[in-house]
Amino acid sequence: MKLRIKIFISIMTLLLVLTTFSTTTYAWFKINSQASVEGFDFTVVGGEGFLVSLDGKTYRNDLKKNDILNKIIENYDKEKYVVNDGKLCYVASGQELNNSQREKILEDEIQMLPLTSTDGITLKDLNNSVASTKSGRYYEFSVYFKATSNKQEDDMTYNIYLNDRTTKLSDGEIVNPTSIKSEDATEVILRAPMNTFNADGSVKSLLEDDAIKVYSSNALRFSTQDTSLESPLANIYELSDDSEYEYGSYASDYDGEDVELKKLYSKDLSAMYTYRNNLLGMDTLADLLPSYNSLPKTIRSLEDENPIITTVSSGSEAKLVTFRFWLEGWDADCFDGLAKSINVNLTFKASKVASASAN
């Protein structure tokens, strides 16, 4: 695959069920069947601007699935696991883990549970407690991006972006754009009434035992953080399925009259929010509800906005970019009963910019 980097994540049989609330802890979900990362394809063709690496030493045209899984496990618990020369080992003994041991960690210890983030860097549970990578509640790994030339005199600079369109390369290969999709919608039978919205933004009320369809992928967020920046900054992406089963962006205290903003951010139209409150028979979540003004700016369409991921230049140091994936707990689509797979296809493109000396 040329000119692009591609990641494929398949999160299989993600089944969430509601658990009991308490006055101080809001554990909204419990995973009955573990989420698993099926595979990654992270490829760059040398000579086209940049190469990638997981250790900052060995740069290649592609990163293999197992290499990325090893880094996810290392980031999950650095006191217990370390990657040495591409091998996942126990810190204490130095012994390499076999495939079955690695799969067991991914199945039993690293599970995706609802979190939230206003900056894409710090993730918290819905009771505002910080979730570390050691919590095993989200996926994180970092990749070094480096210009293909080490010679400063080549004076080449490239901006790296997410690819936003289908591209046909000179050899006829088709490169698909970045996308987040569920293979199928999950049917959820409601155990309490809920409100959502009609096409005009008006309230649509559903009753107990009514059925709705949910795409798990609509609750997924991911962020990219260029760690070379002086001030911590990350882009948060919310690339929902383009379908009728998208119930909104965040539940918040938005009380304005703008129809589109109501559909995205009003708690009164948030399927997730109204469903859980009706299920409990009280406005239990009111004190935790995020403020509309505190919500992060998410990138919902790469056609409308496509920020630079990082910039690499010939003769300059590599840039380390951290990727994080989580289920957004305040998303209107974050329902108990989420299932099926979430296919995350990230393709990257490099764009040549003005020479380094000109800058």
Side-chain angles (χ1 to χ4, degrees):
M1 177 187 212
K2 297 182 178 179
L3 300 176
R4 302 292 183 267
I5 303 173
K6 180 182 177 184
I7 301 177
F8 174 78
I9 306 172
S10 181
I11 302 171
M12 301 298 295
T13 57
L14 180 60
L15 179 62
L16 309 177
V17 295
L18 190 67
T19 59
T20 304
F21 287 89
S22 71
T23 56
T24 57
T25 302
Y26 296 88
W28 287 15
F29 299 94
K30 178 182 178 182
I31 291 183
N32 279 354
S33 55
Q34 290 75 26
S36 64
V37 180
E38 285 291 301
F40 292 86
D41 180 12
F42 205 106
T43 305
V44 181
V45 174
E48 300 297 345
F50 60 101
L51 298 170
V52 291
S53 171
L54 288 172
D55 60 9
K57 300 175 183 177
T58 303
Y59 285 84
R60 308 189 329 207
N61 294 334
D62 63 343
L63 302 178
K64 303 299 184 183
K65 167 188 173 179
N66 288 344
D67 294 332
I68 295 179
L69 293 180
N70 287 347
K71 292 301 290 186
I72 289 174
I73 294 174
E74 180 187 55
N75 286 337
Y76 156 63
D77 192 345
K78 292 183 178 180
E79 295 178 355
K80 190 173 182 180
Y81 308 108
V82 63
V83 176
N84 288 325
D85 296 326
K87 298 178 181 179
L88 180 66
C89 303
Y90 291 107
V91 170
S93 66
Q95 181 181 0
E96 182 181 0
L97 281 74
N98 59 38
N99 288 337
S100 61
Q101 290 171 318
R102 182 178 59 197
E103 292 302 318
K104 184 174 176 58
I105 296 168
L106 292 168
E107 291 177 1
D108 296 345
E109 299 182 39
I110 306 178
Q111 302 176 3
M112 191 171 281
L113 285 167
L115 297 171
T116 191
S117 180
T118 58
D119 61 7
I121 299 172
T122 300
L123 280 76
K124 299 181 179 181
D125 66 21
L126 303 181
N127 201 37
N128 207 36
S129 296
V130 174
S132 66
T133 54
K134 199 170 182 178
S135 70
R137 298 181 66 165
Y138 62 97
Y139 303 135
E140 177 180 306
F141 64 94
S142 298
V143 176
Y144 291 90
F145 289 78
K146 180 181 179 181
T148 52
S149 173
N150 290 322
K151 299 178 180 179
Q152 188 171 0
E153 58 267 27
D154 285 345
D155 213 13
M156 305 294 286
T157 299
Y158 293 88
N159 288 333
I160 311 300
Y161 301 86
L162 287 176
N163 183 35
D164 58 354
R165 66 196 64 190
T166 301
T167 306
K168 186 174 183 179
L169 304 181
S170 58
D171 61 0
E173 182 180 0
I174 301 298
V175 178
N176 292 319
T178 296
S179 64
I180 296 180
K181 294 186 178 296
S182 296
E183 290 185 356
D184 299 292
T186 301
E187 185 172 85
V188 176
I189 306 300
L190 300 179
R191 291 179 288 157
M194 75 171 211
N195 291 334
T196 183
F197 52 83
N198 294 303
D200 62 0
S202 59
V203 176
K204 177 181 180 180
S205 296
L206 297 172
L207 303 175
E208 183 179 355
D209 294 329
D210 283 347
I212 63 170
K213 291 186 177 180
V214 178
Y215 279 118
S216 306
S217 55
N218 287 342
L220 189 70
R221 300 288 190 277
F222 72 93
S223 66
T224 62
Q225 179 192 3
D226 183 348
T227 63
S228 69
L229 300 177
E230 292 184 4
S231 300
L233 179 67
N235 303 312
I236 301 178
Y237 297 85
E238 182 186 359
L239 305 181
S240 300
D241 276 329
D242 183 15
S243 71
E244 59 183 304
Y245 307 128
E246 207 279 316
Y247 295 106
S249 182
Y250 290 85
S252 78
D253 63 1
Y254 178 78
D255 60 359
E257 296 302 320
D258 185 290
V259 172
E260 290 304 313
L261 292 180
K262 285 169 64 177
K263 288 166 64 176
L264 290 174
Y265 304 117
S266 171
K267 70 179 179 65
D268 297 324
L269 295 178
S270 171
M272 173 277 297
Y273 187 90
T274 58
Y275 176 58
R276 287 190 170 77
N277 280 330
N278 286 331
L279 189 64
L280 296 170
M282 62 189 79
D283 196 8
T284 305
L285 307 180
D287 292 339
L288 296 176
L289 188 72
S291 152
Y292 169 69
N293 292 327
S294 72
L295 294 178
K297 182 181 185 302
T298 60
I299 299 160
R300 295 176 56 84
S301 171
L302 295 178
E303 294 179 2
D304 298 332
E305 182 180 6
N306 195 359
I308 298 170
I309 302 298
T310 190
T311 301
V312 296
S313 298
S314 55
S316 297
E317 292 184 356
K319 301 294 183 64
L320 184 65
V321 176
T322 296
F323 296 83
R324 299 180 180 89
F325 300 84
W326 72 96
L327 286 176
E328 175 52 56
W330 288 109
D331 193 292
D333 298 88
C334 200
F335 267 83
D336 58 305
L338 289 182
K340 310 296 183 183
S341 64
I342 303 176
N343 298 323
V344 179
N345 185 62
L346 302 184
T347 59
F348 290 74
K349 62 183 181 182
S351 175
K352 185 179 176 181
V353 296
S355 66
S357 61
N359 293 332

